[in-house]
Amino acid sequence: MEHSTNASGSGQEETVVSPTGHSKEFVQQRVSNPTKEAWILDSLKKRRTEFLHKQKIRAFVGTWNVNGKAPPADLGQLTAWLGFVPDNEVELDKLPELVVLGFQELDVRAEAFVYNNSVKDMEWTEAVERSMGMAKQKLVKVASKQLIGMFIMVYVRTDMVEVVTGVQMASVGCGIMGVVGNKGAVAVRLTFRDTPMCFVCAHLAHDGAQVERRNAQFHDLSRRLAFAGSAADADPLTPSADVVGSGATEADRMHSVFDHSYVVWFGDLNYRLAIDTGDMDEILARGEHRALLGLDQLQIVRMNKQAFAGFEEGHIDFAPTYKYIVGTSEYDARRRPAWCDRVLWWTRPGCEDGVLSEAYESVDSVCTSDHKPVRAQLGLDVWRVDVERRRAVFLEVLRELDRYENECIPTANVEATNVDFGDVYFGRAVRRQLRVGNSGQVPLEYGFVATPNRAAVAPGWLRISPEHGMLLPGQSVDVELVVSVDERTSAPLSTRQEDLDDILVLHLTRGRDYFIQVRGAYQVSVYGMSLDVLVHCKGAVRNMTRADFEQCLRSGQFSVPRSMWLLIDFLSRYGVDRGLTLFNYTGDSVLGRRIREWLDTDQALDPGAILQWPEGSDAQGSSRMSLTDQTLVASAISDIDVLAPSTAEALEQLSLGTWTPTPMRAESDSESEPDLEPDPHRHLGSGQAAEAIAGRAAHDAGVDTVASCLVELLRALPSPLVPTALYSACIEAGGHSRAAALEALEVLPPGNLNVLVYLLAFLREAVERGATAAARVARVFAPALLRPPVGHVRVDAEGGYAETFVLYLLQ
């Protein structure tokens, strides 16, 4: 009779309860964080003698690499290996409660590797059971598992069968290509009374030089060997981590090798001696084999925690078990002797000292293989749980914790629960301080936490520093709250789809939550507004409502945003032909804010308030780029066919010398603007003016500020003028040719293309007239036009390719 279940099989659905007898929901409510859980588990461990009844059992564990040989005709060799078979009448209490036998290289035939249909298990099972003699009547096989040459059998003494439950088996191959079962492990897990344990019979990579591979196979098998979970798998000493932790049920979870109180790992682990001392034969002949244990690879990797960390092994007082001349007890001189065949064990924290090695030896008289069989007798502590008493102890621990928490509940003084940031403008950070103080008698741990409607602790436009911390009694901290709207967060705010309004949750560990409202009045701006919205806006955006934006988006649109036209029109009038340099200076920040305000309120840019030098008429007929509201691009670039079939044709049709611009006026303005003064340098000294005219190095702070506003308008677009999806193609084109650059823009959306063509027309004009250099334009506008996608890892060469790409467009 076999009480066994495969790990891949399905079992009956069970109600999941904690080892205390309480439902998972009850435990989760009372145990809400890892620190509290650890305290409860530690308290239960200290009182476990009140609800656990310990029993000592014996487990016989044997391992033998049989080298593909058939069972010996003389069954006395098997009996000698087993060791526990009596010569006369069988006394039940003299037999071990568990007998675990593992074989390696049981079947080395080629067809066994291909079809995995070995039949040797039955042959060896019959031989082993015959060798048990009368003891077989007192033992019941509860599990067996074979994987090609590896085979494990587990027997339970007849009077203990009823207390062995949850038997499952698993196997994993890690040989050829990491999956074939010529190397790997077979495993059996079971629960003895209320103590889960796992037995792993393994066969690892051969050859003395493959230490790292053996280490890797150990970790691979530890990860891949798994068993289906059940409510009976809980650690009898403490509540299961699953019950007080995640929401998964025990039945949903696969248990690993190390989800047991004990793990016994045995087999042909194939660890060899690290080096050949040269006098090894003499040492072994004198029986001084213990002198070689310092060279044992397994002991070395355990000590260095490269593999089998935390495992223990009985004292080795027997000769190396490999490699012998078959039929003898003489070592094969062609191989360095080694202790390949081992029995080790691991205990879960809380089960320390639960395993005792009572015997550990090899059987020298068995000579049918090139390995000597090894056996170990282990004393195991197993427990029976008094469920009612454990429930009572658990409740007492909870009551003690409640009393402690009630005495130690932290309290805080929070200076304000409403934080108003006032008016908030795009790109301008606003800071506020929130003072949090510890008004209690115990240390206070605080932290801002996420809400059900938001995964992060704060919205994207708000930064908190510090987000968490600890305060001793009487201490306080000023938490800085910073609101900053940029191109990443501006889009929904710019059309009033969202407001600067949110609730922060300040959580005190073991204490209450404080709800802090943060709000601000976002001043809608053309900066941070998407291009699709900008081209629809025909007036001031500052005071537009959500309904206004919805109506605006249903109306007609410009080819180019009005705000961009105002900036470029100003620069073409007062920055291109006045002996000034563009894009070399950032300008004045105060003036920049004023210009932004004009754009947001749809006011004309006032030359008298902007220019450092007075403006005048230009007798030379300087270019005054100006467009009508209806066809901005078509009137600015007279030679472009706005229905050109491709981006390349649109860019190629740019003609810088044939513009016939007309000034743009408000609908109520019927008068032409006055002509400009011809001398842009009259407020400079004669030497400065001459230098400015000759070297074109002079600059006007007002013009510089308008130029900076143009660049910042492009940078503030939530989605750049050249969409991020085209970034890689444009960078690659920058390393090839102008034709590649034009081809990369073939899929540019029509609206983006209109704006790009308009911008390039102005920049080409500025370069042609000497107001700036093409290289400078490329350096300034490349980051504004080309923005890498989120998560993109930049390389050093990308900046140069981006600038070259812009240079190609300027040609």
Side-chain angles (χ1 to χ4, degrees):
M1 118 182 175
E2 295 192 10
H3 303 70
S4 58
T5 305
N6 269 315
S8 59
S10 59
Q12 294 182 347
E13 184 176 347
E14 301 183 42
T15 301
V16 178
V17 296
S18 74
T20 64
H22 290 82
S23 69
K24 174 183 290 187
E25 290 73 20
F26 173 83
V27 177
Q28 286 178 326
Q29 291 172 3
R30 303 301 296 271
V31 184
S32 58
N33 61 59
T35 303
K36 184 184 294 186
E37 176 188 342
W39 187 89
I40 292 175
L41 299 186
D42 186 63
S43 298
L44 286 174
K45 287 179 184 179
K46 291 176 180 178
R47 299 182 59 179
R48 61 189 176 185
T49 56
E50 299 181 34
F51 55 83
L52 292 180
H53 301 283
K54 185 169 69 173
Q55 174 188 357
K56 179 75 74 174
I57 68 169
R58 291 159 296 169
F60 176 91
V61 180
T63 177
W64 190 11
N65 183 323
V66 298
N67 195 25
K69 301 295 190 297
D74 179 10
L75 295 180
Q77 294 194 50
L78 287 175
T79 301
W81 173 38
L82 297 179
F84 59 80
V85 178
D87 295 330
N88 301 311
E89 184 178 351
V90 177
E91 297 182 37
L92 187 65
D93 59 351
K94 296 294 180 65
L95 293 177
E97 284 82 353
L98 285 174
V99 176
V100 183
L101 302 177
F103 298 88
Q104 304 84 45
E105 296 189 13
L106 196 74
D107 194 344
V108 295
R109 296 172 302 135
E111 53 267 33
F113 284 74
V114 176
Y115 300 108
N116 193 21
N117 63 348
S118 176
V119 295
K120 295 294 189 74
D121 56 335
M122 293 300 301
E123 182 181 1
W124 275 91
T125 299
E126 293 174 1
V128 167
E129 293 184 350
R130 288 201 311 273
S131 69
M132 290 181 178
M134 297 298 293
K136 174 60 183 69
Q137 299 177 10
K138 306 297 183 181
L139 297 171
V140 176
K141 188 174 73 169
V142 297
S144 65
K145 183 72 173 177
Q146 181 176 7
L147 177 64
I148 303 182
M150 291 165 284
F151 182 45
I152 187 172
M153 297 187 293
V154 178
Y155 292 83
V156 177
R157 209 171 66 187
T158 52
D159 60 328
M160 295 293 170
V161 171
E162 297 302 322
V163 299
V164 174
T165 59
V167 179
Q168 296 182 59
M169 299 162 291
S171 63
V172 170
C174 65
I176 300 171
M177 300 179 67
V179 294
V180 178
N182 61 311
K183 294 293 186 292
V186 287
V188 173
R189 61 96 52 217
L190 56 86
T191 300
F192 198 110
R193 294 201 183 275
D194 294 308
T195 307
M197 55 188 71
C198 181
F199 298 91
V200 180
C201 172
H203 191 191
L204 305 184
H206 66 282
D207 191 272
Q210 299 202 65
V211 181
E212 296 301 327
R213 186 177 179 190
R214 285 188 282 275
N215 294 345
Q217 288 176 340
F218 163 76
H219 293 293
D220 183 45
L221 294 173
S222 298
R223 177 178 56 85
R224 294 169 58 199
L225 282 170
F227 306 91
S230 70
D233 293 335
D235 183 353
L237 301 180
T238 59
S240 168
D242 237 11
V243 175
V244 297
S246 69
T249 65
E250 291 279 354
D252 293 333
R253 178 178 180 271
M254 297 297 289
H255 287 279
S256 76
V257 167
F258 295 103
D259 286 326
H260 299 83
S261 296
Y262 305 131
V263 177
V264 180
W265 195 300
F266 61 102
D268 181 4
L269 307 185
N270 255 323
Y271 285 94
R272 311 300 174 89
L273 296 182
I275 59 173
D276 190 341
T277 62
D279 57 353
M280 193 174 296
D281 293 339
E282 297 178 11
I283 293 174
L284 294 173
R286 295 195 300 267
E288 299 175 354
H289 47 265
R290 282 178 292 182
L292 300 175
L293 282 173
L295 303 176
D296 176 49
Q297 291 175 344
L298 180 54
Q299 295 199 19
I300 293 172
V301 300
R302 283 172 53 204
M303 180 177 61
N304 294 331
K305 298 185 177 180
Q306 296 168 301
F308 293 95
F311 277 78
E312 300 179 63
E313 184 178 17
H315 177 64
I316 295 180
D317 195 21
F318 50 89
T321 58
Y322 176 83
K323 176 178 183 170
Y324 289 87
I325 298 174
V326 176
T328 74
S329 291
E330 297 180 6
Y331 288 108
D332 188 335
R334 295 172 298 177
R335 294 289 180 89
R336 186 185 309 165
W339 285 276
C340 291
D341 309 279
R342 311 288 275 270
V343 178
L344 300 93
W345 67 87
W346 172 90
T347 60
R348 178 157 51 186
C351 303
E352 297 88 348
D353 303 323
V355 179
L356 175 66
S357 176
E358 298 177 351
Y360 190 29
E361 55 197 349
S362 66
V363 185
D364 189 63
S365 61
V366 179
C367 303
T368 57
S369 169
D370 56 356
H371 288 253
K372 295 296 183 183
V374 171
R375 64 190 180 200
Q377 182 157 301
L378 305 176
L380 305 179
D381 288 341
V382 296
W383 296 273
R384 179 175 58 83
V385 178
D386 184 335
V387 177
E388 292 299 324
R389 181 56 189 156
R390 182 170 58 182
R391 180 184 297 111
V393 172
F394 180 69
L395 291 176
E396 289 174 12
V397 169
L398 283 184
R399 281 194 291 269
E400 182 182 359
L401 178 61
D402 288 342
R403 177 174 53 82
Y404 174 79
E405 287 183 331
N406 289 335
E407 293 174 355
C408 302
I409 292 176
T411 57
N413 283 330
V414 179
E415 187 177 57
T417 55
N418 288 279
V419 181
D420 194 335
F421 289 86
D423 292 343
V424 177
Y425 295 85
F426 179 89
R428 288 157 60 180
V430 182
R431 291 173 168 80
R432 295 288 186 269
Q433 300 286 339
L434 177 68
R435 174 156 293 190
V436 178
N438 184 351
S439 59
Q441 302 301 314
V442 295
L444 180 152
E445 294 181 49
Y446 71 90
F448 290 88
V449 296
T451 66
N453 298 326
R454 186 184 61 240
V457 301
W461 42 263
L462 179 65
R463 298 194 307 273
I464 306 173
S465 179
E467 287 188 2
H468 53 82
M470 187 181 77
L471 297 172
L472 297 178
Q475 288 185 334
S476 61
V477 64
D478 287 328
V479 178
E480 184 177 57
L481 306 177
V482 182
V483 167
S484 180
V485 178
D486 57 22
E487 67 277 4
R488 296 170 300 176
T489 58
S490 61
L493 297 169
S494 296
T495 55
R496 307 288 191 189
Q497 299 297 313
E498 294 181 6
D499 296 316
L500 292 179
D501 195 341
D502 201 80
I503 301 293
L504 303 179
V505 180
L506 177 62
H507 173 71
L508 306 186
T509 303
R510 303 185 307 277
R512 59 167 290 190
D513 291 339
Y514 293 83
F515 299 93
I516 301 164
Q517 184 172 24
V518 291
R519 59 160 61 96
Y522 181 62
Q523 304 302 299
V524 173
S525 174
V526 295
Y527 286 82
M529 193 172 285
S530 69
L531 185 62
D532 290 341
V533 176
L534 283 172
V535 295
H536 284 85
C537 293
K538 303 173 182 63
V541 300
R542 171 60 49 80
N543 298 318
M544 289 178 64
T545 65
R546 180 173 181 174
D548 293 335
F549 278 109
E550 292 174 352
Q551 182 178 359
C552 176
L553 291 172
R554 290 194 296 267
S555 64
Q557 68 181 64
F558 293 140
S559 296
V560 175
R562 178 174 169 78
S563 52
M564 185 178 295
W565 174 84
L566 287 170
L567 294 171
I568 291 179
D569 184 68
F570 186 94
L571 292 173
S572 67
R573 293 174 185 272
Y574 306 112
V576 172
D577 278 338
R578 301 182 64 231
L580 307 177
T581 59
L582 293 178
F583 308 117
N584 282 326
Y585 303 92
T586 57
D588 180 83
S589 60
V590 175
L591 178 59
R593 293 180 183 178
R594 191 174 180 186
I595 293 173
R596 287 191 180 192
E597 190 71 15
W598 289 338
L599 296 177
D600 294 340
T601 55
D602 197 38
Q603 298 182 50
L605 305 188
D606 182 2
I610 295 176
L611 296 175
Q612 177 182 347
W613 303 337
E615 69 281 7
S617 60
D618 188 347
Q620 303 300 320
S622 66
S623 172
R624 302 173 189 155
M625 189 190 311
S626 182
L627 314 175
T628 66
D629 283 350
Q630 290 73 28
T631 55
L632 294 174
V633 174
S635 63
I637 310 166
S638 58
D639 284 354
I640 284 188
D641 176 7
V642 295
L643 298 178
S646 70
T647 300
E649 291 186 25
L651 294 176
E652 290 294 350
Q653 289 179 30
L654 281 177
S655 176
L656 300 180
T658 59
W659 294 353
T660 56
T662 57
M664 183 175 184
R665 298 184 295 273
E667 292 181 2
S668 60
D669 185 6
S670 59
E671 297 183 2
S672 298
E673 296 189 15
D675 291 335
L676 299 177
E677 289 291 333
D679 182 9
H681 307 294
R682 62 178 182 170
H683 279 208
L684 292 178
S686 59
Q688 291 175 304
E691 179 184 350
I693 295 172
R696 307 197 61 82
H699 70 98
D700 185 300
V703 172
D704 293 334
T705 304
V706 176
S708 294
C709 288
L710 173 63
V711 175
E712 290 304 320
L713 182 64
L714 292 169
R715 288 183 174 177
L717 291 172
S719 178
L721 194 54
V722 178
T724 55
L726 303 181
Y727 177 81
S728 296
C730 294
I731 293 298
E732 183 178 355
H736 287 81
S737 64
R738 183 172 187 270
L742 297 178
E743 183 179 353
L745 295 178
E746 282 296 331
V747 293
L748 197 66
N752 296 54
L753 176 60
N754 285 341
V755 177
L756 180 62
V757 169
Y758 178 68
L759 175 65
L760 290 174
F762 162 67
L763 295 176
R764 286 182 180 179
E765 176 75 3
V767 171
E768 178 72 18
R769 295 180 181 272
T772 187
R776 182 62 185 171
V777 169
R779 186 171 298 110
V780 171
F781 281 87
L785 297 177
L786 297 175
R787 192 183 307 162
V790 175
H792 175 78
V793 179
R794 301 192 62 166
V795 297
D796 293 339
E798 284 188 19
Y801 289 148
E803 292 179 16
T804 305
F805 177 82
V806 175
L807 283 174
Y808 284 149
L809 300 184
L810 291 173
Q811 292 176 4

